[in-house]
Amino acid sequence: MQTYISTTPFGRRTMTLGQIASQATARAMPEEAIANKWHVFQHIREARELLGATDRSLAILNALLSFHRETELAATGELIVWPSNEQLIARANGISPATLRRHLAILVECGLIIRRDSPNGKRFARRSRAGEIEQAYGFDLSPIVARAAEFRDMAEAVQLEKKAFRAARERLTLLRRDIIKMIDAGIEEGVPGNWGKVLQSYQTVISRLPRTASRQLIEDICVDLHGLHSEIHDALETFAKTQNISANESHFERHIQNSKPDSISESKQSSRNKKEASGSVAEIDNVRSLPKRDLPLSIVLDACPNVRDVAQTGEIRHWRDFLAAAELIRTMLGVSPSAWAEAGEAMGEVQAAIALAAIYQRADQINTAGGYLRSLTDKAREGKFSTWPMVMALLRARLDASKPRQMPENTRSESGSGLEVSGSLLKSLRKRKL
């Protein structure tokens, strides 16, 4: 008896070119082709994103494969299974009939199975008197055998892509960590350089990174970060070598100076006489009388709260965030790059940023921010400038403007602004005001 193999689906389901291509691939597979259905299913599961399959559709495919008794599927064997919807639902963890139909269609569109529908759409098999299957209507598993090598290659490609993606993310994490810590080291150690601009460049690169990024985008960002990393590392390494050379030279000079102790005292006395003659000794002593420790970041932010509005992240937790905000303030105030570079060279990067933040806080009272910064830079070169008085004056102005109500002696706070000042600092401010 001659049998006919259907090529079109039953009912309103339409035929697509993809289905025709899947059927052609199944017909073209060699007769000796054989595949382990569970090994192929593992490859399909790994490559499901490339195939367009979903988790639910793979659960249904797993159920379909379980209806075939053999583990090794051969091209010459019977590859059609005909389970009912009730049986499929039971083996697919109890999904709804509508979900079953939708995901069966996905398996067909992905070319993982082929529909072999009967004239009335029912699934069944017709057997001979000897018990052999003469005609079966259901789902053809031929693509599992015909495309086994293709699925394996796709799974390997996915694994390689995952490995490359993981390596790219690791590289990105290491570069970000190294750059941030090297910038912190440069700021803390007083390494010459425009660290505010470096931070702004870093933030510009990182801002291109979305929450979920492709491997290509991550690698492109890594290339930009690697260039920035090399520049920062070279600057720190050069400064470290310079410091070592200076330390060796100063050690050698101390031996020479110790051989002529009189010349040292004479030099100091002469220098002191010149300062007294010029009338600058009072100003220098006034600067020296200020605290020797650096200004805490919290006090600077209390004195210059407007800086927080400029920060790109909306908050300032470290000095590097403060320097990045200062770089933005420079452009907003119209301070030239040369004036900013000279201020950083004379005062130090952090002190110049504090001075600029103080200028920004009083922007309505200063006509030319660049000129004012240059005057402060000239004073800093002569040793007559410190950021302590500027910050203390701003704090005192905020305290005077707030008019705090009576509170315990050890603490005063500014209503609504969150400004808290210790008793000792408050006494210091009052003393300077008097």
Side-chain angles (χ1 to χ4, degrees):
M1 181 179 65
Q2 187 176 4
T3 60
Y4 177 77
I5 300 177
S6 64
T7 58
T8 58
F10 170 77
R12 296 181 179 180
R13 301 187 187 98
T14 58
M15 188 70 179
T16 63
L17 293 178
Q19 296 175 20
I20 295 177
S22 297
Q23 295 174 8
T25 302
R27 288 195 303 270
M29 67 176 172
E31 294 182 357
E32 64 275 10
I34 189 171
N36 185 301
K37 63 181 181 181
W38 299 122
H39 290 172
V40 177
F41 177 74
Q42 177 64 25
H43 296 155
I44 292 173
R45 185 167 59 182
E46 293 177 358
R48 63 181 180 275
E49 293 183 0
L50 293 179
L51 292 168
T54 62
D55 295 339
R56 285 291 183 88
S57 62
L58 291 184
I60 296 171
L61 178 61
N62 180 74
L64 286 173
L65 291 175
S66 68
F67 282 103
H68 199 288
R69 295 182 178 181
E70 301 296 331
T71 301
E72 300 289 335
L73 303 182
T76 56
E78 179 58 50
L79 297 176
I80 297 178
V81 293
W82 54 92
S84 65
N85 284 353
E86 290 76 10
Q87 291 174 320
L88 275 176
I89 289 173
R91 292 199 185 185
N93 304 322
I95 61 177
S96 65
T99 302
L100 175 66
R101 290 191 294 271
R102 184 169 65 254
H103 289 286
L104 281 173
I106 291 175
L107 291 176
V108 173
E109 290 298 324
C110 294
L112 299 176
I113 60 175
I114 298 174
R115 285 187 180 274
R116 302 297 187 187
D117 290 344
S118 65
N120 61 0
K122 301 295 184 179
R123 303 181 199 126
F124 63 91
R126 183 180 296 111
R127 298 179 182 271
S128 64
R129 292 183 178 180
E132 296 180 354
I133 297 175
E134 292 181 344
Q135 182 71 44
Y137 297 101
F139 299 105
D140 192 348
L141 302 179
S142 297
I144 301 297
V145 181
R147 301 177 62 187
E150 178 186 352
F151 294 146
R152 183 182 65 251
D153 294 341
M154 294 175 71
E156 291 178 355
V158 169
Q159 290 297 328
L160 291 175
E161 177 63 23
K162 287 182 178 180
K163 185 177 180 180
F165 183 77
R166 184 167 55 252
R169 287 191 63 86
E170 289 175 356
R171 184 187 179 194
L172 175 64
T173 301
L174 293 174
L175 282 170
R176 294 182 67 175
R177 185 185 70 189
D178 289 351
I179 289 175
I180 288 298
K181 292 197 173 185
M182 286 194 300
I183 289 176
D184 286 342
I187 296 171
E188 295 295 333
E189 298 293 338
V191 179
N194 194 342
W195 294 110
K197 187 175 182 180
V198 173
L199 279 168
Q200 191 177 17
S201 300
Y202 169 75
Q203 292 176 351
T204 301
V205 175
I206 293 300
S207 63
R208 295 161 42 201
L209 185 66
R211 185 175 294 274
T212 55
S214 63
R215 178 177 64 87
Q216 185 60 46
L217 178 58
I218 292 177
E219 290 181 348
D220 293 341
I221 292 176
C222 284
V223 171
D224 296 339
L225 289 180
H226 187 269
L228 187 61
H229 178 280
S230 299
E231 294 178 6
I232 299 173
H233 186 270
D234 292 343
L236 295 180
E237 186 175 2
T238 302
F239 182 76
K241 291 179 179 179
T242 304
Q243 291 295 100
N244 291 335
I245 294 174
S246 300
N248 293 334
E249 290 178 352
S250 62
H251 180 71
F252 181 69
E253 289 173 358
R254 283 198 298 271
H255 285 288
I256 298 176
Q257 291 173 357
N258 289 337
S259 63
K260 297 181 180 180
D262 295 337
S263 62
I264 298 176
S265 60
E266 292 175 0
S267 175
K268 289 182 178 179
Q269 186 66 26
S270 175
S271 175
R272 184 172 182 83
N273 291 338
K274 289 181 180 179
K275 290 177 180 177
E276 292 177 353
S278 62
S280 62
V281 67
E283 295 184 21
I284 295 174
D285 289 341
N286 184 37
V287 173
R288 288 177 178 175
S289 65
L290 295 171
K292 300 301 180 185
R293 63 187 179 90
D294 294 333
L295 275 163
L297 179 60
S298 58
I299 291 181
V300 175
L301 294 178
D302 285 339
C304 310
N306 293 348
V307 180
R308 298 179 187 271
D309 300 334
V310 182
Q312 291 182 347
T313 58
E315 56 183 351
I316 298 177
R317 296 181 178 179
H318 308 283
W319 282 114
R320 61 173 176 267
D321 301 332
F322 186 81
L323 288 179
E327 184 66 26
L328 295 176
I329 290 173
R330 180 193 69 80
T331 58
M332 293 170 61
L333 294 178
V335 177
S336 64
S338 61
W340 179 237
E342 291 175 4
E345 182 180 354
M347 306 178 193
E349 191 77 14
V350 174
Q351 300 303 315
I354 295 174
L356 192 63
I359 294 173
Y360 181 67
Q361 188 68 28
R362 299 173 52 203
D364 56 338
Q365 305 174 17
I366 299 174
N367 294 329
T368 307
Y372 190 70
L373 183 63
R374 286 187 183 276
S375 66
L376 297 180
T377 302
D378 295 337
K379 290 184 178 181
R381 289 196 184 99
E382 299 174 1
K384 303 176 184 178
F385 173 74
S386 173
T387 53
W388 273 93
M390 296 183 70
V391 173
M392 293 300 105
L394 289 172
L395 276 176
R396 186 166 58 249
R398 290 195 65 194
L399 287 172
D400 293 342
S402 63
K403 295 182 180 179
R405 62 174 177 264
Q406 192 68 25
M407 296 184 67
E409 293 183 359
N410 62 336
T411 304
R412 291 289 180 93
S413 83
E414 181 184 356
S415 175
S417 64
L419 177 62
E420 295 186 358
V421 182
S422 64
S424 59
L425 181 56
L426 187 60
K427 290 179 181 179
S428 176
L429 292 174
R430 288 175 174 173
K431 183 178 179 181
R432 293 180 182 279
K433 184 177 181 181
L434 296 174

